[in-house]
Amino acid sequence: MPNIGLGTFRLKGQALRQAVKEAMRIGYRHIDTAAIYQNEKDIGLALQNLYNEPSSRVSRSDLWITSKLSPYDMKNPRAALLKTVASLQTDYLDLYLIHWPGVARKPASHSDNKRLRIEAWNVLNEAKREGLVRHIGISNFTPQHLQELIDETKYGIQGAFVQMEIHPWYWRDASEIQSRFAEQNLTMVGYALLAEGKLLGDDCPHVLDEIGQRLGITRVQVVLAWALTRKWAVLARSVDENHLRQNLAACTSVGVLTSQDCAASDAISSPGEENKLCWDPRKVI
């Protein structure tokens, strides 16, 4: 999987199709979407247009396409997967994730949450064996949710992908999963690296600008490189060509950040006082 992917949350229509076109043109090869984003058909159309362009050298086999099972479809994961594959106009997905550990419109404490996520995990493993998906994983799961998949399914989580919120204000849960399940050979993927805009605000910690100025990169590139240095793949969303290029170029800064730079980025938050900005799965039983 390419270490930097194009995130598409909240992107739709022409803006999304143009972003996909530009991203592929400048070198992106990983696209991340989800059924709940309601943009899979737009992405499928954009990719078909790309494949059919006479000047394009991009084919389906060059790409890594990720999508996710909606919390609204937990009772019918196979049907949802087939719908996603059809919408994206592809024969298979490179990665399919359970998007959320709970079921839509059910209380966080409802017993259906655990039952259906375990059933869905079994279905995803079966789809992998069929070749409908090449890799599977989960998104927004806690360490306890992961442990359940080990303890209560025959498949376990060996080689799974784990996508979750990661940024300097909230990263210790990802680090815990990475270390606790080290023997499972998990691949960690971070989203919300801009911390819902905090990274772009005037009150962003000056240390990121100081590191960036010394290295000749932006504060966004500093954070992306920080995550990549920790062996976390990242998703970055933008419709601006310059930002797309800058995000992709963050790969070149891996190995340039010093251990002191990483420690300074780590210290933006402190244990017990991290600021989780997206939905919190820790409430889902």
Side-chain angles (χ1 to χ4, degrees):
M1 184 185 73
N3 284 336
I4 296 184
L6 175 68
T8 64
F9 178 48
R10 293 178 180 159
L11 295 181
K12 294 182 181 181
Q14 181 57 34
L16 170 61
R17 293 193 293 271
Q18 185 63 29
V20 170
K21 180 179 179 180
E22 288 296 326
M24 296 301 105
R25 183 177 64 83
I26 65 178
Y28 283 79
R29 292 297 180 264
H30 177 190
I31 301 173
D32 180 273
T33 183
I36 206 166
Y37 300 169
Q38 298 181 1
N39 61 13
E40 292 173 326
K41 288 185 177 180
D42 282 321
I43 293 173
L45 179 60
L47 292 178
Q48 287 302 315
N49 290 339
L50 179 69
Y51 302 150
N52 294 328
E53 283 185 3
S55 60
S56 175
R57 297 183 179 180
V58 178
S59 64
R60 173 65 183 92
S61 61
D62 298 320
L63 302 182
W64 180 288
I65 301 177
T66 298
S67 194
K68 310 176 192 76
L69 173 67
S70 168
Y72 291 91
D73 295 327
M74 291 286 276
K75 293 182 179 179
N76 299 289
R78 182 176 176 82
L81 169 58
L82 293 174
K83 183 178 179 181
T84 282
V85 168
S87 295
L88 289 166
Q89 299 189 50
T90 184
D91 295 326
Y92 66 94
L93 294 180
D94 297 279
L95 175 60
Y96 195 53
L97 307 170
I98 300 176
H99 202 159
W100 183 252
V103 182
R105 301 193 179 98
K106 293 284 187 181
S109 60
H110 201 287
S111 60
D112 279 356
N113 293 322
K114 178 178 179 178
R115 178 177 63 83
L116 289 175
R117 67 175 172 259
I118 287 177
E119 290 179 5
W121 186 243
N122 290 332
V123 171
L124 264 61
N125 273 278
E126 292 163 6
K128 179 181 176 182
R129 294 176 66 180
E130 292 178 40
L132 273 173
V133 297
R134 294 189 170 178
H135 304 274
I136 58 174
I138 46 76
S139 180
N140 302 303
F141 276 40
T142 67
Q144 181 56 39
H145 296 147
L146 287 168
Q147 189 64 50
E148 287 173 358
L149 297 182
I150 294 174
D151 296 340
E152 302 188 37
T153 75
K154 66 178 181 180
Y155 297 106
I157 61 171
Q158 184 67 33
F161 286 68
V162 179
Q163 187 180 120
M164 61 188 297
E165 177 183 350
I166 295 176
H167 47 73
W169 290 267
Y170 176 76
W171 58 269
R172 287 177 175 81
D173 282 355
S175 183
E176 178 187 349
I177 288 173
Q178 189 176 37
S179 59
R180 176 172 168 178
F181 300 101
E183 295 181 357
Q184 302 296 328
N185 193 30
L186 304 178
T187 298
M188 305 295 296
V189 185
Y191 70 82
L193 271 295
L194 301 189
E196 297 291 279
K198 286 172 67 72
L199 186 61
L200 304 178
D202 293 337
D203 59 346
C204 180
H206 294 305
V207 65
L208 297 177
D209 288 322
E210 293 168 1
I211 295 170
Q213 289 168 6
R214 192 184 78 249
L215 299 178
I217 59 179
T218 68
R219 66 170 72 155
V220 173
Q221 289 174 313
V222 170
V223 169
L224 294 178
W226 161 80
L228 292 168
T229 299
R230 282 183 163 273
K231 307 300 182 184
W232 298 332
V234 298
L235 302 174
R237 182 191 65 195
S238 181
V239 296
D240 181 88
E241 180 183 346
N242 289 331
H243 291 161
L244 286 169
R245 289 184 180 276
Q246 290 172 12
N247 294 340
L248 193 61
C251 281
T252 63
S253 298
V254 177
V256 176
L257 291 184
T258 65
S259 58
Q260 291 80 8
D261 294 334
C262 292
S265 300
D266 289 349
I268 288 173
S269 66
S270 57
E273 297 183 358
E274 287 200 309
N275 189 2
K276 193 178 192 315
L277 302 171
C278 303
W279 289 356
D280 194 343
R282 293 172 292 189
K283 300 176 182 179
V284 180
I285 297 175

